Amino acid sequence: MSIAAPPNSRPITDAPAHHVARPRFFIDARHGLGNRLRAIASAAAIAARTGHELVIVWEPDVHCQARFGDLFRHDGAVIGTAFARLFALTGGRLYNYMEVEPGAQRDAPILACAGPGAGPQDVYVRSAYPLVSAHRDWPAERAFLHALVPVDAVRARMRAVPVPAQVSAHVRMASGPGYEHLPHESPAGWSAQGHAEIAAWRARSHARHFMARLDTLVAAGAAETIFLAADLPETYAAFRDRYGARLRFLPRTRFDRSADQLRDALADMLLLGRAERFLGSTWSSFSDMAIRLAPQRPVVEMSGRDF
């Protein structure tokens, strides 16, 4: 069953007329930038393989205050208001991976019986995670991500940083005890198990672990230039003190989830993948997306696993 767009949303009938007749696949992407992009990429591949039109539902919230159009130039359909409850009333196929919400079932198989020949039916998926489906297609997900065009403001930020560097590092520390007062780090956003796992992995991605690995690479002549992306100002200060002229980074004054900061974050995400070697933070969707957006896959090492 098809439904109309919710009130005060961008009309999805702006797409060409020959697309309107296709069933739609609404992906209501949640949480931060990396989480959202992973969910959308998997949805895009599933939609293509099952004959659906992809519709991105991107609602700004405490995790991501930017609109999709603040970050990307995109010709496809985008809605700025989530409407899962309204969609459920239509009898359409609703999937909810947000495990802290009533009735949610994370990792439920999406369109398990669907294919190009299946009857037309709109689908709505609410998720902060990659979708589980037999219709997932890694090459198609990569193609979708690499076809996204950052807005001019993001591209200008990227041009301000010399690339490539020999090594890039994404240091994700601001989570767990000491940071739970921040709205986007509140335990309410995850299950108790999920929040405990995040806190454990953040401890393993402390800056000192990255520095120990970088010191070894510097001594071996394999880190003459280092690009850093981090979520705390003190991390940048420590790296500047230790690595001096070797260090490259995108200067910033804000460490929040504002639209302007998210443009910095997207530039960082893209710049990280330009290095020959990438040191990432395990259990970070941001690190994961930096790898997936890289033009050519770098040598990858992950905190708590490889160093």
Side-chain angles (χ1 to χ4, degrees), residues 7 46 55 64 74 113 127 141 178 180 242 255 261-262 273 299 302 305:
I46 297 168
V55 182
C64 179
H74 182 64
C113 301
S127 180
E141 291 184 29
E180 293 176 355
R242 196 177 194 100
F255 293 83
Q261 193 278 336
L262 264 292
V299 175
M302 301 300 293
R305 187 190 72 186

Side-chain angles (χ1 to χ4, degrees), residues 3 80 199 270:
I3 67 170
L270 292 164

